[in-house]
Amino acid sequence: MRLIDLSHVVEHGMTTYPGLPTPEIGVHLGFEESAGVYAAGTEFQIGRIAMVANTGTYLDTPAHRYRDGHDLAGLPLERCAGLPAVVVRAAGHGHALDAGVFAGLDVAGRAVLVHTGWDDAWGTDAYLDRDHPHLTEDGARALVDGGATLVGIDSVNIDDTVGTARPAHSVLLAAGIPVVEHLTGLAALPDTGATFTAVPVAVRGLATFPVRAFAAVD
């Protein structure tokens, strides 16, 4: 079995989404300071990080959109771990990905991973462009109606961010379908046959958190 990493590395000062604070990574207790706490020759480092929840590759739960939606602590592992994946090759379909992109695909019980190639621009201003690949409302509804378990995309947002409506988040999260944004490396996956995992920390009161998303391929 081969494991393929599908997550961006979180780094100090990096930008995930325009307008959001960048992560601050530092040290709470360094090796030198710890030397006086432990036995001779024994030392540790304890790090610290300050960041918004929407940093790097992350998963949204329904509480990200709805006040009565479940948060990270209520996320069933069955919704984000060991899922059969179907990779949708969306390049060439334009930026507005509608129901036709998913026509004929069996998405029931699967992680639907939308491969646009937008991740190639990660770390540049082009990645943050508001004119980016996204799902339309009827594209999201097609996945809900098809019984998808999770939906992920390698773009800066699963929704169109030119306007202020967020139909893809609204439709998917209303159906209890977690959304994973800022994936990368989907080109390395087969269209079907991989198993997808993207598990966040179970934090009560938070709706979104970074994940180490990966796929297992036989």
Side-chain angles (χ1 to χ4, degrees), residues 5-8 16-17 56-58 86-92 94-95 97 101-102 112-124 126-129 131-135 150-159 179-189 196 213:
D5 198 340
L6 304 174
S7 301
H8 291 290
T16 298
Y17 190 83
T57 304
Y58 54 78
V86 56
V87 181
V88 182
R89 309 298 177 187
H95 284 183
L97 306 174
V101 176
F102 309 106
V112 180
L113 309 178
V114 183
H115 174 214
T116 71
W118 200 252
D119 59 315
D120 289 345
W122 173 261
T124 72
Y127 184 80
L128 308 176
D129 195 321
D131 182 14
H132 57 78
H134 60 273
L135 268 61
L150 175 149
V151 179
I153 193 169
D154 59 0
S155 184
V156 66
N157 200 300
I158 201 166
D159 262 303
V179 173
V180 179
E181 293 172 306
H182 308 282
L183 287 165
T184 189
L186 295 179
L189 301 187
F196 179 77

Side-chain angles (χ1 to χ4, degrees), residues 156-198:
V156 66
N157 200 300
I158 201 166
D159 262 303
D160 181 3
T161 58
V162 173
T164 55
R166 297 292 185 267
H169 277 94
S170 298
V171 169
L172 294 171
L173 295 177
I177 298 174
V179 173
V180 179
E181 293 172 306
H182 308 282
L183 287 165
T184 189
L186 295 179
L189 301 187
D191 293 352
T192 58
T195 301
F196 179 77
T197 297

Side-chain angles (χ1 to χ4, degrees), residues 201-215:
V201 178
V203 184
R204 195 171 305 284
L206 273 187
T208 298
F209 207 76
V211 295
R212 185 70 178 268
F214 66 91

Side-chain angles (χ1 to χ4, degrees), residues 89-111:
R89 309 298 177 187
H93 288 273
H95 284 183
L97 306 174
D98 59 19
V101 176
F102 309 106
L105 295 177
D106 179 10
V107 301
R110 297 176 182 267

Side-chain angles (χ1 to χ4, degrees), residues 23-76:
E24 300 176 6
I25 301 171
V27 176
H28 172 71
L29 179 69
F31 288 120
E32 292 78 10
E33 294 80 8
S34 77
V37 177
Y38 302 100
T42 303
E43 58 185 18
F44 296 93
Q45 176 175 283
I46 300 175
R48 65 183 302 161
I49 183 169
M51 65 180 187
V52 295
N54 299 56
T55 296
T57 304
Y58 54 78
L59 181 146
D60 294 333
T61 63
H64 178 53
R65 172 64 179 80
Y66 297 105
R67 297 187 184 195
D68 60 351
H70 73 72
D71 61 10
L72 293 162
L75 175 67

